[in-house]
Amino acid sequence: MSATVSNRSSWSISTWLSVVSLTFGSFALISSELLPMAVLTPMAADLGVTEGAAGQAVTLTALLAGVAAPTVALIIGRLDRKLINLALCALVIASNIAVAFTSDYFVLLAARMLLGVAIGGFFALAGATVVRLVTMEDMGKGMSTVFMGLSAGLVVAPAIATLIGEAFGWRAAFMAAAGCGLLALLLQTVCLPSVPATSATSLSSLFGLLKRRPVRVGLVVGLLFFGGEVSGFTFMRPYLETSGGLDPTAIAAVLLTLGLASLAGSAIAGVFADRMLRDGFGATFLVLAIATIGLLTLSNAYIAILVFAAAWGIAIGAGPVMTQTWMGRAAPDQLEGVGGLFLAVIQFGVTMGAIAGGVAVDVVGTSAPLYVTATCATLAAILITTQQAPDAVSQTPAVASAAAE
């Protein structure tokens, strides 16, 4: 029997498997997005372009993801969301294989544009898909599980890609990423139930979302969070080198601590998002602000740096889960539309954060981007704690697999 919509809200084995299949999708996407960073030098040399030009493979992917997020929600109509997710996995596979076999820089950029569409579409639909698999009340738990794939990719993908690139060449690293996409495709084919669309997103409904105060608050907070976090993280290494006096080995330990802590942050965020959304959301930004100030004031104490890096990681792991849950609660009737707007704001925030951090470094010094992070986190915490959290909608239908029944 094929999987169909059900009103059960319990997390059965089939529910867990369906959500985890999306976790593998987020892992494949973030691993593929960050891959050029790990093999930038040999890739640029092989293609006959500068490292700066090769790095645009990441920038272009991010820009396309931002454009694709609301666009995909508009054009897919009432197609089964399982089919859309499978198509997006196929784009991940095709993109990585095309990059692995091309010798032309512009073909590489075109292939990375396909990946950008996949990223934008996946994360725009993620919240709506998760809610259909579980319930609105459990959205935080579901998004926490899905975003653990993203956090895991941030931690392990660059290191593994570097090792594969050194051992077998940079093209093999992209083939490995294609393999991750294939695994996600197979898991979603088997484990993800049919997710019929309940409604289609229109352009007027997208603009209508901006009239809702909780949605506007969520978008502003998302902009502050992702912009501020990227500003500090992008220039974390130069700061630790100049102000902390750390060598590359010590910095690697700091970044590993931060990455592992982000996994923990993603894991625990769902509990707070479901039970105490506003307070947990505000605490996330407060922790980020305190951790950043701690790094700025205790840069000569290595143990303190590790502790504050761990706190930093917990906050940036929890932030996406909290933000996505807030947005879902703010517009439970337009989950895909609000998901598209949310991801577009993320990409804009990432771009603006990188620009602000770069300007701050050039004008003030390596510590300046961290001040940007602390300021954005403080403003986000103040904004959230002065708002009333959107309520869960317990009657949201869940999707359960009936294959085993």
Side-chain angles (χ1 to χ4, degrees):
M1 184 185 299
S2 62
T4 56
V5 175
S6 167
N7 287 326
R8 292 184 312 179
S9 60
S10 60
W11 280 57
S12 62
I13 293 177
S14 61
T15 301
W16 273 110
L17 290 175
S18 61
V19 175
V20 168
S21 73
L22 295 176
T23 305
F24 277 87
S26 69
F27 178 83
L29 286 163
I30 194 64
S31 299
S32 300
E33 182 176 13
L34 299 179
L35 185 49
M37 298 178 182
V39 295
L40 194 62
T41 301
M43 183 175 74
D46 194 12
L47 294 174
V49 298
T50 66
E51 292 183 2
Q56 298 310 306
V58 177
T59 304
L60 188 62
T61 302
L63 290 175
L64 259 293
V67 173
T71 305
V72 167
L74 286 173
I75 66 176
I76 59 175
R78 294 182 176 273
L79 290 174
D80 190 318
R81 276 26 181 178
K82 175 177 179 175
L83 297 178
I84 300 300
N85 275 284
L86 295 181
L88 296 175
C89 286
L91 285 182
V92 175
I93 299 168
S95 169
N96 284 303
I97 291 177
V99 172
F101 282 95
T102 189
S103 297
D104 187 292
Y105 174 67
F106 293 102
V107 172
L108 179 143
L109 292 182
R112 296 291 293 182
M113 291 172 68
L114 290 180
L115 180 63
V117 172
I119 292 170
F122 178 87
F123 287 106
L125 301 180
T129 304
V130 165
V131 167
R132 298 292 305 287
L133 295 172
V134 291
T135 63
M136 180 62 75
E137 288 182 319
D138 284 340
M139 184 179 185
K141 182 179 178 181
M143 293 310 303
S144 173
T145 304
V146 172
F147 275 110
M148 283 187 69
L150 189 150
S151 294
L154 290 172
V155 175
V156 304
I160 293 177
T162 300
L163 293 175
I164 293 175
E166 289 295 322
F168 305 104
W170 69 270
R171 297 178 186 276
F174 279 93
M175 288 303 295
C180 290
L182 178 60
L183 177 59
L185 176 65
L186 293 175
L187 286 173
Q188 290 178 26
T189 299
V190 174
C191 301
L192 193 65
S194 175
V195 188
T198 56
S199 62
T201 303
S202 65
L203 192 60
S204 61
S205 66
L206 277 181
F207 284 110
L209 287 170
L210 298 177
K211 298 178 181 179
R212 305 186 190 186
R213 181 177 177 81
V215 170
R216 296 197 304 271
V217 169
L219 293 176
V220 172
V221 167
L223 185 64
L224 289 170
F225 172 72
F226 289 98
E229 181 264 325
V230 166
S231 177
F233 188 71
T234 301
F235 300 96
M236 181 76 75
R237 177 168 180 167
Y239 171 73
L240 293 175
E241 287 175 336
T242 56
S243 297
L246 302 185
D247 58 32
T249 301
I251 292 174
V254 172
L255 296 180
L256 178 61
T257 299
L258 191 154
L260 292 174
S262 74
L263 270 173
S266 294
I268 65 177
V271 175
F272 292 96
D274 288 332
R275 298 181 181 178
M276 43 187 300
L277 179 57
R278 187 189 67 174
D279 293 341
F281 206 4
T284 297
F285 298 121
L286 186 60
V287 169
L288 180 59
I290 292 172
T292 307
I293 293 170
L295 289 172
L296 286 166
T297 55
L298 297 174
S299 59
N300 293 321
Y302 188 58
I303 297 301
I305 289 175
L306 290 174
V307 171
F308 286 120
W312 222 83
I314 289 173
I316 66 172
V321 177
M322 292 288 187
T323 313
Q324 185 85 327
T325 304
W326 179 283
M327 297 299 290
R329 299 269 180 87
D333 57 323
Q334 291 288 335
L335 288 171
E336 293 176 358
V338 82
L341 288 177
F342 172 59
L343 193 69
V345 165
I346 287 177
Q347 299 302 328
F348 180 69
V350 168
T351 302
M352 294 304 296
I355 292 173
V359 172
V361 164
D362 291 340
V363 175
V364 180
T366 57
S367 64
L370 291 178
Y371 282 103
V372 174
T373 302
T375 301
C376 289
T378 301
L379 291 174
I382 294 172
L383 179 58
I384 282 296
T385 54
T386 58
Q387 306 298 315
Q388 181 177 355
D391 293 327
V393 180
S394 59
Q395 67 269 24
T396 301
V399 173
S401 175
E405 298 183 3

